[in-house]
Amino acid sequence: FAVIGMPEQSKTDLLADIIYRKTGGNALLVIQFVKYLWECGLIWFSFRQRCWRWDTKILEAKSIFKDAADLLSRKILFLPKDIQFKLKKMACIGSQCDITILHLICGDDSASKEPPDELCNINIAIAVDEGLIQKNGPNYVFAHDQIESAAYSLIPEEQR
């Protein structure tokens, strides 16, 4: 096991090298890959030792993602189906969407019953918490164009 927080710099250099090789140094991919490792329990914080830990051999064995869209597509597929559906619909519209329009195109009848701010339900909040979309005034915006591409790529071609 390797550890961050120890005086030995070579262990963190090894982790950085693994992450760089698997992401090509793409900043979005680096962030998403490290989140993926943490979510899968492949990198964790040891409170007893007060440092980050990981198993270098397991990290080395992890498959390399083809590109950012591949990694992000996998992340989207782990979300509940209704969130996936909304992200796919939003990707069809473009990089940003008003919440009312998003609810209308998703067939959400509540769009006409409540103000749009109250429609920012748990589903949309989860996508925001995951860093996939951001609230920008009355609109929701994909946090990165690769996220929009990933969501769009999940739509079967005959339905695009």
Side-chain angles (χ1 to χ4, degrees), residues 3-4 11 14 26 28 40 45 51 55 58 78 83 88 91 100 111-112 118 122 142-143 149 157:
V3 179
I4 294 178
K11 291 180 181 180
L14 182 57
N26 177 305
L28 174 66
C40 292
F45 189 78
C51 59
D55 185 329
I58 292 174
F78 279 106
I83 298 172
K88 290 176 194 177
T100 305
S112 60
E118 292 180 31
I122 294 171
F142 280 104
S149 295
E157 247 182 78

mmCIF file of all heavy atoms in Angstrom, residues 3-4 11 14 26 28 40 45 51 55 58 78 83 88 91 100 111-112 118 122 142-143 149 157:
data_model
loop_
_atom_site.group_PDB
_atom_site.id
_atom_site.type_symbol
_atom_site.label_atom_id
_atom_site.label_comp_id
_atom_site.label_asym_id
_atom_site.label_seq_id
_atom_site.Cartn_x
_atom_site.Cartn_y
_atom_site.Cartn_z
ATOM 1 N N VAL A 3 1.073 5.561 0.535
ATOM 2 C CA VAL A 3 0.498 6.519 1.460
ATOM 3 C C VAL A 3 0.885 7.938 1.078
ATOM 4 O O VAL A 3 2.030 8.199 0.749
ATOM 5 C CB VAL A 3 1.009 6.231 2.903
ATOM 6 C CG1 VAL A 3 0.447 7.216 3.890
ATOM 7 C CG2 VAL A 3 0.712 4.818 3.311
ATOM 8 N N ILE A 4 -0.084 8.858 1.099
ATOM 9 C CA ILE A 4 0.205 10.292 0.982
ATOM 10 C C ILE A 4 0.265 10.823 2.401
ATOM 11 O O ILE A 4 -0.596 10.529 3.212
ATOM 12 C CB ILE A 4 -0.898 11.044 0.212
ATOM 13 C CG1 ILE A 4 -0.942 10.600 -1.231
ATOM 14 C CG2 ILE A 4 -0.663 12.550 0.279
ATOM 15 C CD1 ILE A 4 -2.046 11.275 -2.033
ATOM 16 N N LYS A 11 6.331 7.804 -3.335
ATOM 17 C CA LYS A 11 5.013 7.164 -3.320
ATOM 18 C C LYS A 11 3.961 8.051 -3.963
ATOM 19 O O LYS A 11 3.113 7.576 -4.715
ATOM 20 C CB LYS A 11 4.619 6.768 -1.905
ATOM 21 C CG LYS A 11 5.485 5.642 -1.386
ATOM 22 C CD LYS A 11 5.130 5.234 0.011
ATOM 23 C CE LYS A 11 6.083 4.117 0.427
ATOM 24 N NZ LYS A 11 5.843 3.642 1.746
ATOM 25 N N LEU A 14 4.536 8.130 -7.680
ATOM 26 C CA LEU A 14 4.006 6.938 -8.333
ATOM 27 C C LEU A 14 2.493 7.094 -8.585
ATOM 28 O O LEU A 14 2.011 6.781 -9.674
ATOM 29 C CB LEU A 14 4.281 5.694 -7.495
ATOM 30 C CG LEU A 14 3.822 4.367 -8.077
ATOM 31 C CD1 LEU A 14 4.437 4.123 -9.448
ATOM 32 C CD2 LEU A 14 4.185 3.232 -7.137
ATOM 33 N N ASN A 26 -5.325 15.286 -18.799
ATOM 34 C CA ASN A 26 -6.510 16.114 -19.019
ATOM 35 C C ASN A 26 -7.113 16.451 -17.653
ATOM 36 O O ASN A 26 -7.478 15.554 -16.894
ATOM 37 C CB ASN A 26 -7.508 15.329 -19.887
ATOM 38 C CG ASN A 26 -8.799 16.062 -20.127
ATOM 39 O OD1 ASN A 26 -9.478 16.468 -19.187
ATOM 40 N ND2 ASN A 26 -9.162 16.204 -21.381
ATOM 41 N N LEU A 28 -9.975 17.640 -16.558
ATOM 42 C CA LEU A 28 -11.298 17.103 -16.262
ATOM 43 C C LEU A 28 -11.202 15.608 -15.953
ATOM 44 O O LEU A 28 -11.797 15.120 -14.997
ATOM 45 C CB LEU A 28 -12.258 17.331 -17.428
ATOM 46 C CG LEU A 28 -13.639 16.689 -17.280
ATOM 47 C CD1 LEU A 28 -14.420 17.329 -16.146
ATOM 48 C CD2 LEU A 28 -14.417 16.780 -18.575
ATOM 49 N N CYS A 40 -15.033 4.220 -5.631
ATOM 50 C CA CYS A 40 -14.882 2.756 -5.691
ATOM 51 C C CYS A 40 -14.090 2.216 -4.504
ATOM 52 O O CYS A 40 -13.870 1.006 -4.405
ATOM 53 C CB CYS A 40 -14.189 2.353 -6.990
ATOM 54 S SG CYS A 40 -15.182 2.656 -8.456
ATOM 55 N N PHE A 45 -8.934 7.671 2.886
ATOM 56 C CA PHE A 45 -8.204 8.386 3.925
ATOM 57 C C PHE A 45 -8.173 7.535 5.176
ATOM 58 O O PHE A 45 -9.197 7.078 5.656
ATOM 59 C CB PHE A 45 -8.855 9.740 4.232
ATOM 60 C CG PHE A 45 -8.018 10.588 5.133
ATOM 61 C CD1 PHE A 45 -6.927 11.279 4.637
ATOM 62 C CD2 PHE A 45 -8.292 10.671 6.491
ATOM 63 C CE1 PHE A 45 -6.129 12.053 5.467
ATOM 64 C CE2 PHE A 45 -7.511 11.436 7.333
ATOM 65 C CZ PHE A 45 -6.426 12.134 6.822
ATOM 66 N N CYS A 51 -3.534 9.987 6.750
ATOM 67 C CA CYS A 51 -2.992 10.140 5.405
ATOM 68 C C CYS A 51 -3.865 9.380 4.409
ATOM 69 O O CYS A 51 -4.691 8.558 4.797
ATOM 70 C CB CYS A 51 -1.557 9.629 5.338
ATOM 71 S SG CYS A 51 -1.401 7.899 5.794
ATOM 72 N N ASP A 55 -3.742 1.085 -3.056
ATOM 73 C CA ASP A 55 -2.963 -0.083 -3.441
ATOM 74 C C ASP A 55 -2.506 0.153 -4.878
ATOM 75 O O ASP A 55 -3.312 0.110 -5.813
ATOM 76 C CB ASP A 55 -3.808 -1.353 -3.336
ATOM 77 C CG ASP A 55 -3.010 -2.611 -3.608
ATOM 78 O OD1 ASP A 55 -2.039 -2.555 -4.402
ATOM 79 O OD2 ASP A 55 -3.366 -3.653 -3.039
ATOM 80 N N ILE A 58 -3.477 -2.425 -7.619
ATOM 81 C CA ILE A 58 -4.883 -2.371 -8.058
ATOM 82 C C ILE A 58 -5.098 -1.176 -8.986
ATOM 83 O O ILE A 58 -5.770 -1.292 -10.008
ATOM 84 C CB ILE A 58 -5.843 -2.324 -6.849
ATOM 85 C CG1 ILE A 58 -5.787 -3.658 -6.100
ATOM 86 C CG2 ILE A 58 -7.261 -2.012 -7.293
ATOM 87 C CD1 ILE A 58 -6.586 -3.684 -4.820
ATOM 88 N N PHE A 78 -24.197 5.299 -13.536
ATOM 89 C CA PHE A 78 -24.363 4.909 -12.137
ATOM 90 C C PHE A 78 -25.451 5.713 -11.437
ATOM 91 O O PHE A 78 -25.852 5.389 -10.324
ATOM 92 C CB PHE A 78 -23.043 5.050 -11.361
ATOM 93 C CG PHE A 78 -22.112 3.900 -11.564
ATOM 94 C CD1 PHE A 78 -20.980 4.032 -12.349
ATOM 95 C CD2 PHE A 78 -22.370 2.671 -10.979
ATOM 96 C CE1 PHE A 78 -20.126 2.967 -12.541
ATOM 97 C CE2 PHE A 78 -21.519 1.592 -11.162
ATOM 98 C CZ PHE A 78 -20.391 1.740 -11.956
ATOM 99 N N ILE A 83 -32.482 10.590 -13.511
ATOM 100 C CA ILE A 83 -31.449 11.620 -13.656
ATOM 101 C C ILE A 83 -30.753 11.442 -15.004
ATOM 102 O O ILE A 83 -30.511 12.417 -15.720
ATOM 103 C CB ILE A 83 -30.425 11.550 -12.504
ATOM 104 C CG1 ILE A 83 -31.117 11.807 -11.171
ATOM 105 C CG2 ILE A 83 -29.301 12.556 -12.729
ATOM 106 C CD1 ILE A 83 -30.234 11.575 -9.972
ATOM 107 N N LYS A 88 -29.737 13.330 -20.520
ATOM 108 C CA LYS A 88 -29.770 13.036 -21.958
ATOM 109 C C LYS A 88 -30.624 14.065 -22.690
ATOM 110 O O LYS A 88 -30.238 14.575 -23.749
ATOM 111 C CB LYS A 88 -30.326 11.632 -22.207
ATOM 112 C CG LYS A 88 -29.409 10.519 -21.773
ATOM 113 C CD LYS A 88 -30.118 9.189 -21.970
ATOM 114 C CE LYS A 88 -29.449 8.055 -21.273
ATOM 115 N NZ LYS A 88 -30.226 6.797 -21.428
ATOM 116 N N ALA A 91 -28.859 17.311 -22.888
ATOM 117 C CA ALA A 91 -27.796 17.271 -23.897
ATOM 118 C C ALA A 91 -28.348 17.500 -25.301
ATOM 119 O O ALA A 91 -27.660 18.059 -26.156
ATOM 120 C CB ALA A 91 -27.062 15.935 -23.820
ATOM 121 N N THR A 100 -37.612 24.914 -16.104
ATOM 122 C CA THR A 100 -38.994 24.695 -16.542
ATOM 123 C C THR A 100 -39.027 23.930 -17.856
ATOM 124 O O THR A 100 -39.796 22.980 -18.018
ATOM 125 C CB THR A 100 -39.728 26.043 -16.693
ATOM 126 O OG1 THR A 100 -39.624 26.762 -15.457
ATOM 127 C CG2 THR A 100 -41.183 25.842 -17.040
ATOM 128 N N ALA A 111 -44.314 20.707 -13.718
ATOM 129 C CA ALA A 111 -43.765 21.971 -14.212
ATOM 130 C C ALA A 111 -44.807 23.075 -14.214
ATOM 131 O O ALA A 111 -44.481 24.227 -14.013
ATOM 132 C CB ALA A 111 -43.196 21.784 -15.618
ATOM 133 N N SER A 112 -46.058 22.706 -14.420
ATOM 134 C CA SER A 112 -47.093 23.732 -14.465
ATOM 135 C C SER A 112 -47.720 23.985 -13.096
ATOM 136 O O SER A 112 -48.504 24.896 -12.950
ATOM 137 C CB SER A 112 -48.177 23.304 -15.452
ATOM 138 O OG SER A 112 -48.741 22.076 -15.032
ATOM 139 N N GLU A 118 -38.760 25.577 -7.054
ATOM 140 C CA GLU A 118 -39.133 24.434 -6.239
ATOM 141 C C GLU A 118 -39.018 23.127 -7.018
ATOM 142 O O GLU A 118 -39.045 22.054 -6.446
ATOM 143 C CB GLU A 118 -40.552 24.622 -5.702
ATOM 144 C CG GLU A 118 -40.616 25.759 -4.684
ATOM 145 C CD GLU A 118 -42.021 25.962 -4.146
ATOM 146 O OE1 GLU A 118 -42.758 24.972 -4.057
ATOM 147 O OE2 GLU A 118 -42.345 27.103 -3.825
ATOM 148 N N ILE A 122 -34.628 16.652 -5.884
ATOM 149 C CA ILE A 122 -33.467 15.838 -5.512
ATOM 150 C C ILE A 122 -32.707 15.360 -6.740
ATOM 151 O O ILE A 122 -31.485 15.354 -6.750
ATOM 152 C CB ILE A 122 -33.909 14.647 -4.641
ATOM 153 C CG1 ILE A 122 -34.440 15.164 -3.312
ATOM 154 C CG2 ILE A 122 -32.789 13.657 -4.435
ATOM 155 C CD1 ILE A 122 -35.111 14.117 -2.456
ATOM 156 N N PHE A 142 -24.268 22.386 -18.302
ATOM 157 C CA PHE A 142 -23.305 21.302 -18.158
ATOM 158 C C PHE A 142 -21.994 21.899 -17.670
ATOM 159 O O PHE A 142 -21.552 22.932 -18.176
ATOM 160 C CB PHE A 142 -23.089 20.572 -19.486
ATOM 161 C CG PHE A 142 -24.164 19.575 -19.798
ATOM 162 C CD1 PHE A 142 -25.138 19.855 -20.742
ATOM 163 C CD2 PHE A 142 -24.208 18.348 -19.143
ATOM 164 C CE1 PHE A 142 -26.139 18.933 -21.031
ATOM 165 C CE2 PHE A 142 -25.208 17.428 -19.411
ATOM 166 C CZ PHE A 142 -26.169 17.713 -20.358
ATOM 167 N N ALA A 143 -21.375 21.258 -16.703
ATOM 168 C CA ALA A 143 -20.142 21.774 -16.112
ATOM 169 C C ALA A 143 -18.978 21.745 -17.103
ATOM 170 O O ALA A 143 -18.009 22.480 -16.928
ATOM 171 C CB ALA A 143 -19.792 20.984 -14.856
ATOM 172 N N SER A 149 -21.287 15.857 -24.025
ATOM 173 C CA SER A 149 -21.014 14.826 -25.038
ATOM 174 C C SER A 149 -21.270 13.431 -24.491
ATOM 175 O O SER A 149 -21.818 12.571 -25.182
ATOM 176 C CB SER A 149 -19.560 14.917 -25.514
ATOM 177 O OG SER A 149 -19.326 16.114 -26.179
ATOM 178 N N GLU A 157 -28.643 5.842 -31.134
ATOM 179 C CA GLU A 157 -28.599 6.644 -32.355
ATOM 180 C C GLU A 157 -29.968 6.853 -32.998
ATOM 181 O O GLU A 157 -30.271 7.938 -33.500
ATOM 182 C CB GLU A 157 -27.633 6.035 -33.363
ATOM 183 C CG GLU A 157 -26.450 6.935 -33.571
ATOM 184 C CD GLU A 157 -25.488 6.406 -34.594
ATOM 185 O OE1 GLU A 157 -25.796 6.544 -35.793
ATOM 186 O OE2 GLU A 157 -24.466 5.880 -34.178
#
